[in-house]
Amino acid sequence: MIVVLAGGVGAARFLEGVVQVAPPATVTAIVNTGDDFELHGLTIAPDLDIVTCTLAGVIDPLQGWGIAEDTTACLEWLGRLGGPTWFKLGDRDLALHIRRTALLRAGHTLSSVADAFRRALGVAVRILPMSDDPAPTHILTDAGEFHFEEYLVRRRAQDSVRGVRLHAAGAAAPAPGVLEAIAGATAVLIAPSNPVVSVGPILALPGLRETLRATPAPVVAVSPIVGGAAIKGPAVPLMRAVGMEASALGVARAYADLLDGIVIDAVDADLAPAIEALGLRVAVTDTIMRGPREKAHLARVALALGGVNG
Ligand code: FO1
């Protein structure tokens, strides 16, 4: 079983590579739920939907989120009726949130909903939320404390970040099967996701880091930072706000006690000696996932660094 710790868009694209080099039914994605929030009275789960819809082949390929060719008739009417329209939810996207909210209200767990959705959409990869308990990520800024999505989307990540509050580090428990998947994996991959708000909440769950350190499986990360910048999203200001160096070396340091190896981009080749000095194996390659071939290549390099033939 290949286990992938996943956030949103970058992780979903990486998973498209993993399923090209390993049978999808042998892959388990453990997905961040720190971005989850309530809007329109619905439970929105962005990263679960991004991973599920990407693997189902229905994601909007340019944005990396939302359903391809979706329409926004409902959102327009929500606006006319005074509802919030800052979070762009298409008509098909809303069906996911309406159905999820109904199932949760009927007493089903987020895990069972995520599993039902991925089966309904024909996804063979097992998709586990990191937790079935609320574990929102809040961003502390000069203008106050905001849920991550409010900081990122509504306020366009313009606030100066003072800190991050991970509720995953508190009462939330790993979802059923999460610790077992890691303990029993043949390889654990940390996808190229934001180390603070996408991977961070997963690692903050009780028992998660210990299980990663104890698993006999090789643990390999793919750096989401290339040349000191993120391919997508606010990783750099968030890493700086929590004292991480915004570089592939900074990512390696953040995960060093958990990793056997890390894949970094060719532009960061000069950082390899410093990363190896942390006791990590390093693979240097082109990590930009332009298309299916590059995604498969990146997955193959990550698995090979862990000694697994993908
Ligand atoms: N990101 C945006 O920047 N703007 C949006 O309007 C937006 C809507 C949206 C709807 C559904 C969904 O699953 C994701 C959505 N995202 C949007 C992406 C999301 O904000 C983040 O990219 C992820 O949560 C981070 O991984």
Side-chain angles (χ1 to χ4, degrees), residues 7-10 32 34-37 44-51 59 63-67 75 85-90 93 96-97 148-149 152-154 156 193-194 197-198 232-234:
V9 177
N32 170 46
D35 297 3
D36 297 8
F37 69 120
I44 316 280
D47 284 354
L48 279 168
D49 288 348
I50 288 168
V51 168
I59 204 76
Q63 288 177 153
W65 48 264
I67 310 298
L75 194 66
T85 58
W86 56 272
F87 200 72
K88 301 301 174 218
L89 290 165
D93 202 337
L96 290 161
H97 312 305
F148 172 68
E149 295 291 358
L152 176 74
V153 181
R154 188 174 198 175
R156 303 189 188 291
S193 295
N194 186 317
V197 293
S198 297
K232 179 180 177 61

Side-chain angles (χ1 to χ4, degrees), residues 100-172:
R100 174 182 303 111
T101 304
L103 290 170
L104 291 174
R105 281 201 190 128
H108 297 275
T109 62
L110 187 60
S111 296
S112 65
V113 174
D115 193 60
F117 282 14
R118 65 101 176 172
R119 291 177 189 277
L121 295 174
V123 175
V125 170
R126 196 164 58 127
I127 295 174
L128 304 180
M130 71 181 199
S131 176
D132 281 340
D133 306 317
T137 298
H138 287 188
I139 308 298
L140 313 178
T141 78
D142 280 353
E145 181 173 336
F146 303 102
H147 182 277
F148 172 68
E149 295 291 358
E150 188 140 19
Y151 153 77
L152 176 74
V153 181
R154 188 174 198 175
R155 303 176 65 85
R156 303 189 188 291
Q158 295 302 304
D159 299 294
S160 53
V161 181
R162 289 283 165 266
V164 176
R165 188 193 309 279
L166 299 178
H167 289 75

Side-chain angles (χ1 to χ4, degrees), residues 95-287:
L96 290 161
H97 312 305
I98 293 166
R99 181 75 180 138
R100 174 182 303 111
T101 304
L103 290 170
L104 291 174
R105 281 201 190 128
H108 297 275
T109 62
L110 187 60
S111 296
S112 65
V113 174
D115 193 60
F117 282 14
R118 65 101 176 172
R119 291 177 189 277
L121 295 174
V123 175
V125 170
R126 196 164 58 127
I127 295 174
L128 304 180
M130 71 181 199
S131 176
D132 281 340
D133 306 317
T137 298
H138 287 188
I139 308 298
L140 313 178
T141 78
D142 280 353
E145 181 173 336
F146 303 102
H147 182 277
F148 172 68
E149 295 291 358
E150 188 140 19
Y151 153 77
L152 176 74
V153 181
R154 188 174 198 175
R155 303 176 65 85
R156 303 189 188 291
Q158 295 302 304
D159 299 294
S160 53
V161 181
R162 289 283 165 266
V164 176
R165 188 193 309 279
L166 299 178
H167 289 75
V178 164
L179 297 182
E180 295 82 351
I182 294 170
T186 48
V188 179
L189 304 179
I190 301 182
S193 295
N194 186 317
V196 180
V197 293
S198 297
V199 178
I202 302 173
L203 299 181
L205 288 166
L208 219 298
R209 294 184 84 103
E210 293 81 356
T211 306
L212 274 172
R213 279 196 285 272
T215 181
V219 181
V220 173
V222 177
S223 175
I225 304 295
V226 174
I231 303 302
K232 179 180 177 61
V236 169
L238 289 169
M239 288 176 78
R240 290 203 174 119
V242 299
M244 284 184 196
E245 179 188 309
S247 69
L249 175 56
V251 175
R253 285 198 184 112
Y255 300 151
D257 61 318
L258 307 169
L259 294 185
D260 296 289
I262 184 166
V263 182
I264 65 174
D265 194 86
V267 304
D268 293 314
D270 58 314
L271 298 176
I275 296 173
E276 282 160 347
L278 297 171
L280 304 183
R281 292 199 301 277
V282 182
V284 179
T285 190
D286 176 6
T287 64

